[in-house]
Structures are given as C-alpha cells and as structure tokens.
Amino acid sequence: MRQIEKTFGVVLRERREAKRLTQESLAEKAGLHPTYVGLVERGKRSPTLRVARALALALGTTLADLANSAEKELREPSE
Amino acid sequence: MRQIEKTFGVVLRERREAKRLTQESLAEKAGLHPTYVGLVERGKRSPTLRVARALALALGTTLADLANSAEKELREPSE
C-alpha cells in the first residue's frame, strides 16, 4: 500500500506547479530548506503536522485540504 | 498564536474520549507507544503525517477530518 507521505508529496508538487512556484520559492515562503521541500515532494520524508501546515499556508490553502487530496489519492489512485 | 500540534492534541483527546478508548488502547490500535500518544494529546509532539494518519484510522476517521477540526480550533478557539 502506498503511504500517505507518497501521495502528500505528489499533491504538494501538483499544487506548487499550479501556482507556478519553484521549490526554492515555496521553501522560502514556508520557512524551510529547498532540499527538504524536494524530499517531501518525492515522498522521502513524512513531514510533521507543523511543517505540512506551513507548506499548505504557503500555497494559500489548509492542511486539511492537502490531507484530503492525499488521502483521496491513496483510496483512488489516479496513476 | 497556538500551534497546530496543540489543537491537534486537543482534538485527538476529544475524539478518543468520545470513543471511550484509553490512551493505551488507542496506542495499540495505531501501533504507537502509549507515552507518545499522551505527548501528542498534550501538544508536546508534532506527529508526522504518517503517525497522525495512523491515529486517525485507529479512531475510525481520516487525517483530513482531524486536521480540519484542529485548524478550525486554531481559527475559532472554543476555549
């Protein structure tokens, strides 16, 4: 079974690209290191709630919204 | 400003008590240590997405649901 950090990473990348932000600019907005944002997008890190929410706010949305999309992708994989 | 881990902890405790589960039984269902569940409920740890989702599933709900309640409590504190 895919893990939540995998689908969260996919959702994060989609949302970032939809906003035409680079990993660097998203990282700066969220107060994180660009390398860390890349690791989260690739599902290599399971961020804490605090970090995941900082990323959500930097994208103009909520943690609940990103979690909902990530959990939906776990239930109904689009790929 | 209150942090998400504080309100997540409050929500977690409320939901656990509503299900009449002890910290020990919730921990066992989620595959966590009871001490860790206590720390999360008191807002002393910001769990990873993976752990937060395991807690949600053990309570019969989703991470998005718990995150939504925790973020609502950040926006409109009930206490």
PDB file of all heavy atoms in Angstrom, chain B residues 5-40:
ATOM      1  N   GLU B   5      -0.054  21.605  16.485  1.00  0.00           N
ATOM      2  CA  GLU B   5       0.078  20.402  17.314  1.00  0.00           C
ATOM      3  C   GLU B   5      -0.698  20.522  18.620  1.00  0.00           C
ATOM      4  O   GLU B   5      -1.122  19.519  19.185  1.00  0.00           O
ATOM      5  CB  GLU B   5       1.545  20.032  17.580  1.00  0.00           C
ATOM      6  CG  GLU B   5       2.360  21.065  18.300  1.00  0.00           C
ATOM      7  CD  GLU B   5       3.122  21.956  17.320  1.00  0.00           C
ATOM      8  OE1 GLU B   5       2.659  22.129  16.173  1.00  0.00           O
ATOM      9  OE2 GLU B   5       4.177  22.478  17.717  1.00  0.00           O
ATOM     10  N   LYS B   6      -0.891  21.779  19.072  1.00  0.00           N
ATOM     11  CA  LYS B   6      -1.685  21.979  20.295  1.00  0.00           C
ATOM     12  C   LYS B   6      -3.154  21.626  20.036  1.00  0.00           C
ATOM     13  O   LYS B   6      -3.780  20.888  20.793  1.00  0.00           O
ATOM     14  CB  LYS B   6      -1.600  23.447  20.747  1.00  0.00           C
ATOM     15  CG  LYS B   6      -0.257  23.845  21.319  1.00  0.00           C
ATOM     16  CD  LYS B   6      -0.091  23.304  22.730  1.00  0.00           C
ATOM     17  CE  LYS B   6       1.254  23.727  23.311  1.00  0.00           C
ATOM     18  NZ  LYS B   6       1.535  23.064  24.597  1.00  0.00           N
ATOM     19  N   THR B   7      -3.708  22.182  18.964  1.00  0.00           N
ATOM     20  CA  THR B   7      -5.127  21.933  18.710  1.00  0.00           C
ATOM     21  C   THR B   7      -5.345  20.509  18.192  1.00  0.00           C
ATOM     22  O   THR B   7      -6.375  19.906  18.478  1.00  0.00           O
ATOM     23  CB  THR B   7      -5.718  22.966  17.717  1.00  0.00           C
ATOM     24  OG1 THR B   7      -4.984  22.941  16.493  1.00  0.00           O
ATOM     25  CG2 THR B   7      -5.655  24.363  18.298  1.00  0.00           C
ATOM     26  N   PHE B   8      -4.359  19.967  17.483  1.00  0.00           N
ATOM     27  CA  PHE B   8      -4.479  18.560  17.061  1.00  0.00           C
ATOM     28  C   PHE B   8      -4.565  17.667  18.294  1.00  0.00           C
ATOM     29  O   PHE B   8      -5.368  16.723  18.341  1.00  0.00           O
ATOM     30  CB  PHE B   8      -3.289  18.158  16.179  1.00  0.00           C
ATOM     31  CG  PHE B   8      -3.411  16.770  15.609  1.00  0.00           C
ATOM     32  CD1 PHE B   8      -4.097  16.538  14.429  1.00  0.00           C
ATOM     33  CD2 PHE B   8      -2.831  15.688  16.266  1.00  0.00           C
ATOM     34  CE1 PHE B   8      -4.216  15.246  13.907  1.00  0.00           C
ATOM     35  CE2 PHE B   8      -2.948  14.391  15.753  1.00  0.00           C
ATOM     36  CZ  PHE B   8      -3.644  14.174  14.567  1.00  0.00           C
ATOM     37  N   GLY B   9      -3.758  17.970  19.293  1.00  0.00           N
ATOM     38  CA  GLY B   9      -3.767  17.178  20.523  1.00  0.00           C
ATOM     39  C   GLY B   9      -5.110  17.250  21.235  1.00  0.00           C
ATOM     40  O   GLY B   9      -5.622  16.240  21.735  1.00  0.00           O
ATOM     41  N   VAL B  10      -5.673  18.457  21.265  1.00  0.00           N
ATOM     42  CA  VAL B  10      -6.982  18.639  21.909  1.00  0.00           C
ATOM     43  C   VAL B  10      -8.049  17.830  21.176  1.00  0.00           C
ATOM     44  O   VAL B  10      -8.865  17.133  21.788  1.00  0.00           O
ATOM     45  CB  VAL B  10      -7.360  20.145  21.937  1.00  0.00           C
ATOM     46  CG1 VAL B  10      -8.809  20.340  22.344  1.00  0.00           C
ATOM     47  CG2 VAL B  10      -6.426  20.905  22.876  1.00  0.00           C
ATOM     48  N   VAL B  11      -8.025  17.914  19.850  1.00  0.00           N
ATOM     49  CA  VAL B  11      -8.991  17.187  19.030  1.00  0.00           C
ATOM     50  C   VAL B  11      -8.809  15.682  19.218  1.00  0.00           C
ATOM     51  O   VAL B  11      -9.791  14.935  19.359  1.00  0.00           O
ATOM     52  CB  VAL B  11      -8.838  17.577  17.539  1.00  0.00           C
ATOM     53  CG1 VAL B  11      -9.604  16.630  16.623  1.00  0.00           C
ATOM     54  CG2 VAL B  11      -9.285  19.019  17.338  1.00  0.00           C
ATOM     55  N   LEU B  12      -7.557  15.241  19.226  1.00  0.00           N
ATOM     56  CA  LEU B  12      -7.283  13.813  19.381  1.00  0.00           C
ATOM     57  C   LEU B  12      -7.865  13.282  20.692  1.00  0.00           C
ATOM     58  O   LEU B  12      -8.525  12.240  20.721  1.00  0.00           O
ATOM     59  CB  LEU B  12      -5.769  13.568  19.341  1.00  0.00           C
ATOM     60  CG  LEU B  12      -5.335  12.111  19.345  1.00  0.00           C
ATOM     61  CD1 LEU B  12      -5.748  11.412  18.062  1.00  0.00           C
ATOM     62  CD2 LEU B  12      -3.818  12.007  19.549  1.00  0.00           C
ATOM     63  N   ARG B  13      -7.635  14.033  21.772  1.00  0.00           N
ATOM     64  CA  ARG B  13      -8.149  13.600  23.080  1.00  0.00           C
ATOM     65  C   ARG B  13      -9.679  13.543  23.077  1.00  0.00           C
ATOM     66  O   ARG B  13     -10.282  12.575  23.557  1.00  0.00           O
ATOM     67  CB  ARG B  13      -7.645  14.534  24.183  1.00  0.00           C
ATOM     68  CG  ARG B  13      -8.239  14.229  25.553  1.00  0.00           C
ATOM     69  CD  ARG B  13      -7.438  14.862  26.659  1.00  0.00           C
ATOM     70  NE  ARG B  13      -6.152  14.172  26.826  1.00  0.00           N
ATOM     71  CZ  ARG B  13      -5.170  14.581  27.622  1.00  0.00           C
ATOM     72  NH1 ARG B  13      -5.324  15.686  28.334  1.00  0.00           N
ATOM     73  NH2 ARG B  13      -4.041  13.902  27.725  1.00  0.00           N
ATOM     74  N   GLU B  14     -10.291  14.583  22.506  1.00  0.00           N
ATOM     75  CA  GLU B  14     -11.767  14.620  22.448  1.00  0.00           C
ATOM     76  C   GLU B  14     -12.313  13.414  21.693  1.00  0.00           C
ATOM     77  O   GLU B  14     -13.268  12.770  22.134  1.00  0.00           O
ATOM     78  CB  GLU B  14     -12.241  15.901  21.738  1.00  0.00           C
ATOM     79  CG  GLU B  14     -12.104  17.161  22.561  1.00  0.00           C
ATOM     80  CD  GLU B  14     -12.384  18.427  21.735  1.00  0.00           C
ATOM     81  OE1 GLU B  14     -12.596  18.315  20.497  1.00  0.00           O
ATOM     82  OE2 GLU B  14     -12.378  19.508  22.326  1.00  0.00           O
ATOM     83  N   ARG B  15     -11.714  13.145  20.543  1.00  0.00           N
ATOM     84  CA  ARG B  15     -12.197  12.035  19.724  1.00  0.00           C
ATOM     85  C   ARG B  15     -11.974  10.688  20.403  1.00  0.00           C
ATOM     86  O   ARG B  15     -12.806   9.791  20.330  1.00  0.00           O
ATOM     87  CB  ARG B  15     -11.499  12.039  18.356  1.00  0.00           C
ATOM     88  CG  ARG B  15     -11.713  13.307  17.551  1.00  0.00           C
ATOM     89  CD  ARG B  15     -13.172  13.482  17.147  1.00  0.00           C
ATOM     90  NE  ARG B  15     -13.281  14.606  16.221  1.00  0.00           N
ATOM     91  CZ  ARG B  15     -13.232  14.491  14.903  1.00  0.00           C
ATOM     92  NH1 ARG B  15     -13.121  13.304  14.341  1.00  0.00           N
ATOM     93  NH2 ARG B  15     -13.309  15.558  14.131  1.00  0.00           N
ATOM     94  N   ARG B  16     -10.812  10.565  21.069  1.00  0.00           N
ATOM     95  CA  ARG B  16     -10.515   9.314  21.777  1.00  0.00           C
ATOM     96  C   ARG B  16     -11.522   9.096  22.913  1.00  0.00           C
ATOM     97  O   ARG B  16     -12.067   7.994  23.071  1.00  0.00           O
ATOM     98  CB  ARG B  16      -9.088   9.343  22.353  1.00  0.00           C
ATOM     99  CG  ARG B  16      -8.764   8.124  23.203  1.00  0.00           C
ATOM    100  CD  ARG B  16      -7.345   8.144  23.730  1.00  0.00           C
ATOM    101  NE  ARG B  16      -7.025   9.283  24.573  1.00  0.00           N
ATOM    102  CZ  ARG B  16      -7.425   9.425  25.845  1.00  0.00           C
ATOM    103  NH1 ARG B  16      -8.193   8.514  26.419  1.00  0.00           N
ATOM    104  NH2 ARG B  16      -7.070  10.492  26.543  1.00  0.00           N
ATOM    105  N   GLU B  17     -11.776  10.155  23.679  1.00  0.00           N
ATOM    106  CA  GLU B  17     -12.701  10.019  24.796  1.00  0.00           C
ATOM    107  C   GLU B  17     -14.123   9.744  24.306  1.00  0.00           C
ATOM    108  O   GLU B  17     -14.868   8.994  24.942  1.00  0.00           O
ATOM    109  CB  GLU B  17     -12.628  11.270  25.679  1.00  0.00           C
ATOM    110  CG  GLU B  17     -11.289  11.350  26.428  1.00  0.00           C
ATOM    111  CD  GLU B  17     -11.120  12.595  27.281  1.00  0.00           C
ATOM    112  OE1 GLU B  17     -11.940  13.534  27.158  1.00  0.00           O
ATOM    113  OE2 GLU B  17     -10.159  12.635  28.077  1.00  0.00           O
ATOM    114  N   ALA B  18     -14.480  10.353  23.176  1.00  0.00           N
ATOM    115  CA  ALA B  18     -15.814  10.109  22.615  1.00  0.00           C
ATOM    116  C   ALA B  18     -15.986   8.635  22.228  1.00  0.00           C
ATOM    117  O   ALA B  18     -17.098   8.106  22.258  1.00  0.00           O
ATOM    118  CB  ALA B  18     -16.046  11.005  21.392  1.00  0.00           C
ATOM    119  N   LYS B  19     -14.867   8.000  21.872  1.00  0.00           N
ATOM    120  CA  LYS B  19     -14.894   6.570  21.518  1.00  0.00           C
ATOM    121  C   LYS B  19     -14.689   5.688  22.754  1.00  0.00           C
ATOM    122  O   LYS B  19     -14.604   4.455  22.617  1.00  0.00           O
ATOM    123  CB  LYS B  19     -13.775   6.261  20.505  1.00  0.00           C
ATOM    124  CG  LYS B  19     -13.964   6.891  19.140  1.00  0.00           C
ATOM    125  CD  LYS B  19     -14.592   5.906  18.172  1.00  0.00           C
ATOM    126  CE  LYS B  19     -14.765   6.512  16.798  1.00  0.00           C
ATOM    127  NZ  LYS B  19     -15.516   5.615  15.912  1.00  0.00           N
ATOM    128  N   ARG B  20     -14.551   6.305  23.908  1.00  0.00           N
ATOM    129  CA  ARG B  20     -14.313   5.595  25.166  1.00  0.00           C
ATOM    130  C   ARG B  20     -13.100   4.675  25.093  1.00  0.00           C
ATOM    131  O   ARG B  20     -13.108   3.540  25.579  1.00  0.00           O
ATOM    132  CB  ARG B  20     -15.564   4.795  25.591  1.00  0.00           C
ATOM    133  CG  ARG B  20     -16.756   5.701  25.852  1.00  0.00           C
ATOM    134  CD  ARG B  20     -17.983   4.933  26.289  1.00  0.00           C
ATOM    135  NE  ARG B  20     -19.114   5.827  26.520  1.00  0.00           N
ATOM    136  CZ  ARG B  20     -19.337   6.519  27.624  1.00  0.00           C
ATOM    137  NH1 ARG B  20     -18.489   6.435  28.629  1.00  0.00           N
ATOM    138  NH2 ARG B  20     -20.398   7.282  27.747  1.00  0.00           N
ATOM    139  N   LEU B  21     -12.052   5.207  24.443  1.00  0.00           N
ATOM    140  CA  LEU B  21     -10.794   4.467  24.375  1.00  0.00           C
ATOM    141  C   LEU B  21      -9.805   5.071  25.380  1.00  0.00           C
ATOM    142  O   LEU B  21      -9.810   6.284  25.605  1.00  0.00           O
ATOM    143  CB  LEU B  21     -10.173   4.583  22.972  1.00  0.00           C
ATOM    144  CG  LEU B  21     -10.895   3.900  21.820  1.00  0.00           C
ATOM    145  CD1 LEU B  21     -10.251   4.295  20.495  1.00  0.00           C
ATOM    146  CD2 LEU B  21     -10.854   2.389  21.995  1.00  0.00           C
ATOM    147  N   THR B  22      -8.971   4.207  25.949  1.00  0.00           N
ATOM    148  CA  THR B  22      -7.868   4.705  26.765  1.00  0.00           C
ATOM    149  C   THR B  22      -6.706   5.076  25.840  1.00  0.00           C
ATOM    150  O   THR B  22      -6.679   4.681  24.675  1.00  0.00           O
ATOM    151  CB  THR B  22      -7.368   3.626  27.742  1.00  0.00           C
ATOM    152  OG1 THR B  22      -6.885   2.516  26.975  1.00  0.00           O
ATOM    153  CG2 THR B  22      -8.491   3.161  28.666  1.00  0.00           C
ATOM    154  N   GLN B  23      -5.749   5.833  26.376  1.00  0.00           N
ATOM    155  CA  GLN B  23      -4.542   6.134  25.582  1.00  0.00           C
ATOM    156  C   GLN B  23      -3.857   4.827  25.189  1.00  0.00           C
ATOM    157  O   GLN B  23      -3.323   4.709  24.093  1.00  0.00           O
ATOM    158  CB  GLN B  23      -3.566   7.012  26.377  1.00  0.00           C
ATOM    159  CG  GLN B  23      -4.038   8.459  26.540  1.00  0.00           C
ATOM    160  CD  GLN B  23      -3.009   9.352  27.233  1.00  0.00           C
ATOM    161  OE1 GLN B  23      -2.052   8.871  27.827  1.00  0.00           O
ATOM    162  NE2 GLN B  23      -3.224  10.659  27.153  1.00  0.00           N
ATOM    163  N   GLU B  24      -3.900   3.860  26.105  1.00  0.00           N
ATOM    164  CA  GLU B  24      -3.239   2.578  25.850  1.00  0.00           C
ATOM    165  C   GLU B  24      -3.901   1.839  24.673  1.00  0.00           C
ATOM    166  O   GLU B  24      -3.214   1.297  23.807  1.00  0.00           O
ATOM    167  CB  GLU B  24      -3.286   1.689  27.097  1.00  0.00           C
ATOM    168  CG  GLU B  24      -2.378   2.141  28.237  1.00  0.00           C
ATOM    169  CD  GLU B  24      -2.839   3.423  28.937  1.00  0.00           C
ATOM    170  OE1 GLU B  24      -4.051   3.782  28.842  1.00  0.00           O
ATOM    171  OE2 GLU B  24      -2.000   4.086  29.566  1.00  0.00           O
ATOM    172  N   SER B  25      -5.225   1.813  24.669  1.00  0.00           N
ATOM    173  CA  SER B  25      -5.898   1.062  23.603  1.00  0.00           C
ATOM    174  C   SER B  25      -5.763   1.775  22.262  1.00  0.00           C
ATOM    175  O   SER B  25      -5.590   1.135  21.216  1.00  0.00           O
ATOM    176  CB  SER B  25      -7.368   0.802  23.958  1.00  0.00           C
ATOM    177  OG  SER B  25      -8.042   2.003  24.230  1.00  0.00           O
ATOM    178  N   LEU B  26      -5.812   3.117  22.283  1.00  0.00           N
ATOM    179  CA  LEU B  26      -5.605   3.858  21.038  1.00  0.00           C
ATOM    180  C   LEU B  26      -4.180   3.615  20.520  1.00  0.00           C
ATOM    181  O   LEU B  26      -3.976   3.381  19.318  1.00  0.00           O
ATOM    182  CB  LEU B  26      -5.834   5.356  21.246  1.00  0.00           C
ATOM    183  CG  LEU B  26      -5.521   6.230  20.029  1.00  0.00           C
ATOM    184  CD1 LEU B  26      -6.388   5.866  18.835  1.00  0.00           C
ATOM    185  CD2 LEU B  26      -5.698   7.718  20.365  1.00  0.00           C
ATOM    186  N   ALA B  27      -3.213   3.669  21.428  1.00  0.00           N
ATOM    187  CA  ALA B  27      -1.815   3.441  21.039  1.00  0.00           C
ATOM    188  C   ALA B  27      -1.658   2.066  20.396  1.00  0.00           C
ATOM    189  O   ALA B  27      -1.002   1.921  19.357  1.00  0.00           O
ATOM    190  CB  ALA B  27      -0.906   3.574  22.258  1.00  0.00           C
ATOM    191  N   GLU B  28      -2.279   1.067  21.006  1.00  0.00           N
ATOM    192  CA  GLU B  28      -2.147  -0.286  20.477  1.00  0.00           C
ATOM    193  C   GLU B  28      -2.752  -0.382  19.072  1.00  0.00           C
ATOM    194  O   GLU B  28      -2.148  -0.960  18.170  1.00  0.00           O
ATOM    195  CB  GLU B  28      -2.806  -1.295  21.418  1.00  0.00           C
ATOM    196  CG  GLU B  28      -2.502  -2.729  21.012  1.00  0.00           C
ATOM    197  CD  GLU B  28      -3.071  -3.739  22.012  1.00  0.00           C
ATOM    198  OE1 GLU B  28      -3.389  -3.341  23.150  1.00  0.00           O
ATOM    199  OE2 GLU B  28      -3.201  -4.911  21.622  1.00  0.00           O
ATOM    200  N   LYS B  29      -3.936   0.209  18.908  1.00  0.00           N
ATOM    201  CA  LYS B  29      -4.581   0.188  17.583  1.00  0.00           C
ATOM    202  C   LYS B  29      -3.709   0.882  16.522  1.00  0.00           C
ATOM    203  O   LYS B  29      -3.695   0.477  15.353  1.00  0.00           O
ATOM    204  CB  LYS B  29      -5.926   0.929  17.628  1.00  0.00           C
ATOM    205  CG  LYS B  29      -7.093   0.143  18.203  1.00  0.00           C
ATOM    206  CD  LYS B  29      -8.287   1.093  18.376  1.00  0.00           C
ATOM    207  CE  LYS B  29      -9.503   0.393  18.940  1.00  0.00           C
ATOM    208  NZ  LYS B  29     -10.301  -0.276  17.917  1.00  0.00           N
ATOM    209  N   ALA B  30      -3.045   1.963  16.941  1.00  0.00           N
ATOM    210  CA  ALA B  30      -2.276   2.763  15.980  1.00  0.00           C
ATOM    211  C   ALA B  30      -0.828   2.298  15.851  1.00  0.00           C
ATOM    212  O   ALA B  30      -0.078   2.826  15.023  1.00  0.00           O
ATOM    213  CB  ALA B  30      -2.319   4.236  16.380  1.00  0.00           C
ATOM    214  N   GLY B  31      -0.445   1.318  16.674  1.00  0.00           N
ATOM    215  CA  GLY B  31       0.935   0.839  16.615  1.00  0.00           C
ATOM    216  C   GLY B  31       1.938   1.813  17.199  1.00  0.00           C
ATOM    217  O   GLY B  31       3.072   1.909  16.738  1.00  0.00           O
ATOM    218  N   LEU B  32       1.497   2.540  18.235  1.00  0.00           N
ATOM    219  CA  LEU B  32       2.361   3.546  18.868  1.00  0.00           C
ATOM    220  C   LEU B  32       2.526   3.236  20.347  1.00  0.00           C
ATOM    221  O   LEU B  32       1.785   2.424  20.909  1.00  0.00           O
ATOM    222  CB  LEU B  32       1.736   4.940  18.707  1.00  0.00           C
ATOM    223  CG  LEU B  32       1.499   5.394  17.260  1.00  0.00           C
ATOM    224  CD1 LEU B  32       0.628   6.645  17.244  1.00  0.00           C
ATOM    225  CD2 LEU B  32       2.833   5.666  16.572  1.00  0.00           C
ATOM    226  N   HIS B  33       3.467   3.930  20.981  1.00  0.00           N
ATOM    227  CA  HIS B  33       3.660   3.760  22.417  1.00  0.00           C
ATOM    228  C   HIS B  33       2.668   4.661  23.163  1.00  0.00           C
ATOM    229  O   HIS B  33       2.462   5.806  22.763  1.00  0.00           O
ATOM    230  CB  HIS B  33       5.099   4.143  22.781  1.00  0.00           C
ATOM    231  CG  HIS B  33       5.509   3.665  24.140  1.00  0.00           C
ATOM    232  ND1 HIS B  33       5.101   4.285  25.300  1.00  0.00           N
ATOM    233  CD2 HIS B  33       6.266   2.613  24.525  1.00  0.00           C
ATOM    234  CE1 HIS B  33       5.603   3.630  26.342  1.00  0.00           C
ATOM    235  NE2 HIS B  33       6.320   2.606  25.895  1.00  0.00           N
ATOM    236  N   PRO B  34       2.055   4.159  24.233  1.00  0.00           N
ATOM    237  CA  PRO B  34       1.085   4.976  24.973  1.00  0.00           C
ATOM    238  C   PRO B  34       1.662   6.308  25.437  1.00  0.00           C
ATOM    239  O   PRO B  34       0.964   7.334  25.442  1.00  0.00           O
ATOM    240  CB  PRO B  34       0.725   4.101  26.178  1.00  0.00           C
ATOM    241  CG  PRO B  34       1.020   2.713  25.757  1.00  0.00           C
ATOM    242  CD  PRO B  34       2.174   2.795  24.787  1.00  0.00           C
ATOM    243  N   THR B  35       2.928   6.318  25.806  1.00  0.00           N
ATOM    244  CA  THR B  35       3.559   7.568  26.246  1.00  0.00           C
ATOM    245  C   THR B  35       3.560   8.593  25.121  1.00  0.00           C
ATOM    246  O   THR B  35       3.334   9.790  25.335  1.00  0.00           O
ATOM    247  CB  THR B  35       5.014   7.308  26.698  1.00  0.00           C
ATOM    248  OG1 THR B  35       4.996   6.335  27.737  1.00  0.00           O
ATOM    249  CG2 THR B  35       5.663   8.585  27.199  1.00  0.00           C
ATOM    250  N   TYR B  36       3.799   8.102  23.912  1.00  0.00           N
ATOM    251  CA  TYR B  36       3.827   9.009  22.761  1.00  0.00           C
ATOM    252  C   TYR B  36       2.443   9.599  22.501  1.00  0.00           C
ATOM    253  O   TYR B  36       2.309  10.802  22.229  1.00  0.00           O
ATOM    254  CB  TYR B  36       4.346   8.269  21.519  1.00  0.00           C
ATOM    255  CG  TYR B  36       4.532   9.183  20.346  1.00  0.00           C
ATOM    256  CD1 TYR B  36       5.614  10.052  20.282  1.00  0.00           C
ATOM    257  CD2 TYR B  36       3.602   9.218  19.321  1.00  0.00           C
ATOM    258  CE1 TYR B  36       5.778  10.922  19.221  1.00  0.00           C
ATOM    259  CE2 TYR B  36       3.749  10.079  18.254  1.00  0.00           C
ATOM    260  CZ  TYR B  36       4.830  10.927  18.200  1.00  0.00           C
ATOM    261  OH  TYR B  36       4.977  11.797  17.151  1.00  0.00           O
ATOM    262  N   VAL B  37       1.404   8.764  22.623  1.00  0.00           N
ATOM    263  CA  VAL B  37       0.032   9.267  22.433  1.00  0.00           C
ATOM    264  C   VAL B  37      -0.266  10.370  23.449  1.00  0.00           C
ATOM    265  O   VAL B  37      -0.846  11.409  23.107  1.00  0.00           O
ATOM    266  CB  VAL B  37      -1.001   8.121  22.542  1.00  0.00           C
ATOM    267  CG1 VAL B  37      -2.426   8.666  22.541  1.00  0.00           C
ATOM    268  CG2 VAL B  37      -0.811   7.140  21.382  1.00  0.00           C
ATOM    269  N   GLY B  38       0.182  10.168  24.685  1.00  0.00           N
ATOM    270  CA  GLY B  38      -0.018  11.195  25.718  1.00  0.00           C
ATOM    271  C   GLY B  38       0.690  12.498  25.366  1.00  0.00           C
ATOM    272  O   GLY B  38       0.136  13.593  25.550  1.00  0.00           O
ATOM    273  N   LEU B  39       1.895  12.396  24.848  1.00  0.00           N
ATOM    274  CA  LEU B  39       2.655  13.591  24.451  1.00  0.00           C
ATOM    275  C   LEU B  39       1.961  14.325  23.306  1.00  0.00           C
ATOM    276  O   LEU B  39       1.886  15.556  23.300  1.00  0.00           O
ATOM    277  CB  LEU B  39       4.080  13.199  24.033  1.00  0.00           C
ATOM    278  CG  LEU B  39       5.018  12.781  25.173  1.00  0.00           C
ATOM    279  CD1 LEU B  39       6.265  12.086  24.618  1.00  0.00           C
ATOM    280  CD2 LEU B  39       5.424  13.985  26.015  1.00  0.00           C
ATOM    281  N   VAL B  40       1.435  13.565  22.347  1.00  0.00           N
ATOM    282  CA  VAL B  40       0.732  14.193  21.216  1.00  0.00           C
ATOM    283  C   VAL B  40      -0.533  14.883  21.731  1.00  0.00           C
ATOM    284  O   VAL B  40      -0.827  16.030  21.351  1.00  0.00           O
ATOM    285  CB  VAL B  40       0.384  13.150  20.130  1.00  0.00           C
ATOM    286  CG1 VAL B  40      -0.529  13.764  19.057  1.00  0.00           C
ATOM    287  CG2 VAL B  40       1.660  12.614  19.473  1.00  0.00           C
TER     288      VAL B  40
END
